[in-house]
Amino acid sequence: MSIVASGPTRPSTRPVGKGVGPLLRGWREQRRVSQLELALRADSSARHISFIETGRSRPSEEMVLRLAEHLDVPVRERNALLLAAGYAPHYPETPLDDPSMDALRQGVERLIQGYEPYPALVVDATYTVLAANRGIAMLLEGVCESLLTPPLNAMRLTLHPEGLAPRIRNHREWRDHLLAQMERQIALDRSEPLRALYEEVAAYPVPEQEGEGDVDGGVEPVPHFALPLQIEHGGRVLSFISSISTFNTPMDVTVAELAIETFLPADPATVKYLQSLVS
């Protein structure tokens, strides 16, 4: 599955009618940083930070970006802060199918294809699947057709009762892990679309499964160094450890919100089975 164009632009979470001061204060309080601490980080003064937050002083464009950086504000929301302060957005948001993204797109596609036969996929900030390799396609065999209609969403595919959920042997543990991951992202990004997705998938019924967490009958238990995804496929249980990669210091909103998730086989039986599929 090749990389597809990203979906509709995710709107900023900036509250309507709020200036840059209250927005900066909201990010500072969420990060639990005092005015003095922020001033020291940004080479400013607590008095100046206070004046910015109360609207008595209009920050320069450079100051807005500096404060946003020290508050670890997501790139999309840095643009929102600039707009609230009366400046143009600093970071572009380039569609993935734009010619300027050719090198990035081709590089990511080569990366996930080179990971085969192990599963790998690329998602955006709301877990829309932008690309996936044949390892992912294998795991999705038997999933309800309606869930496979673009745009695919990784969280829906995993937790929906007509998706992968009934085949995940340690479903409760994996579900708790995914929901906690989303909660951390919501706390950092304050994304309303992500919150809506969280509320949707958290409300899915949890399938009743016998022997949840047990390994296949003839397979020796293997100690895991991280929580594995244990999923049934072809009459056996495959075990994977997932890893998520993002881009360092992104200068584009689209790139900032890309994540590459790879699934590393967690036991020798899974390695042997996946390699047998391509031999």
Side-chain angles (χ1 to χ4, degrees):
M1 185 188 302
S2 298
I3 283 189
V4 297
S6 51
T9 299
R10 177 165 70 86
S12 163
T13 56
R14 179 172 65 92
V16 176
K18 282 196 173 185
V20 67
L23 290 176
L24 282 169
R25 183 176 64 247
W27 283 109
R28 180 181 59 77
E29 291 174 347
Q30 183 170 327
R31 298 297 190 253
R32 298 182 179 179
V33 177
S34 68
Q35 290 182 343
L36 178 58
E37 185 178 355
L38 179 58
L40 292 173
R41 292 181 186 179
D43 193 25
S44 183
S45 68
R47 177 184 176 88
H48 186 45
I49 300 298
S50 176
F51 278 18
I52 291 173
E53 291 185 356
T54 58
R56 294 180 63 183
S57 177
R58 178 175 181 245
S60 66
E61 181 179 6
E62 179 187 0
M63 177 59 76
V64 173
L65 290 172
R66 193 187 315 164
L67 294 176
E69 179 181 358
H70 288 292
L71 290 172
D72 196 24
V73 176
V75 170
R76 179 182 295 276
E77 299 310 320
R78 297 185 192 191
N79 279 344
L81 289 171
L82 287 168
L83 286 170
Y87 302 110
H90 181 78
Y91 301 94
E93 184 174 2
T94 311
L96 277 175
D97 57 357
D98 189 272
S100 65
M101 291 288 206
D102 283 352
L104 170 72
R105 188 174 60 253
Q106 293 167 9
V108 170
E109 287 177 347
R110 284 196 298 270
L111 179 64
I112 64 173
Q113 289 169 6
Y115 199 69
E116 293 173 354
Y118 308 148
L121 74 164
V122 183
V123 298
D124 66 11
T126 53
Y127 293 94
T128 298
V129 178
L130 304 178
N133 68 6
R134 287 179 293 181
I136 291 292
M138 174 203 68
L139 293 180
L140 294 181
E141 292 171 3
V143 166
C144 178
E145 195 64 33
S146 63
L147 292 174
L148 297 176
T149 302
L152 281 65
N153 185 277
M155 287 296 176
R156 290 193 186 98
L157 286 167
T158 305
L159 298 178
H160 196 283
E162 294 183 334
L164 297 176
R167 290 171 27 213
I168 298 177
R169 291 288 291 271
N170 58 338
H171 180 272
R172 286 179 175 79
E173 286 181 299
W174 195 251
R175 176 181 182 273
D176 289 347
H177 153 66
L178 293 181
L179 294 180
Q181 176 179 303
M182 294 179 75
E183 288 170 354
R184 289 192 297 272
Q185 288 179 261
I186 292 168
L188 288 173
D189 296 352
R190 306 198 309 202
S191 165
E192 289 305 322
L194 187 58
R195 181 175 294 280
L197 176 65
Y198 172 88
E199 292 173 355
E200 174 192 334
V201 299
Y204 290 160
V206 178
E208 294 184 7
Q209 295 169 310
E210 294 183 6
E212 182 170 348
D214 294 341
V215 296
D216 202 25
V219 178
E220 286 293 324
V222 175
H224 298 295
F225 49 85
L227 177 67
L229 167 65
Q230 295 176 326
I231 184 167
E232 295 180 9
H233 183 272
R236 67 192 67 220
V237 176
L238 306 180
S239 186
F240 298 96
I241 301 296
S242 73
S243 173
I244 298 176
S245 302
T246 56
F247 289 89
N248 289 331
T249 321
M251 302 301 294
D252 186 285
V253 175
T254 299
V255 177
E257 295 178 349
L258 290 180
I260 304 169
E261 184 165 14
T262 54
F263 292 84
L264 178 71
D267 57 41
T270 299
V271 173
K272 183 177 180 180
Y273 175 72
L274 292 176
Q275 291 180 343
S276 73
L277 296 180
V278 296
S279 61

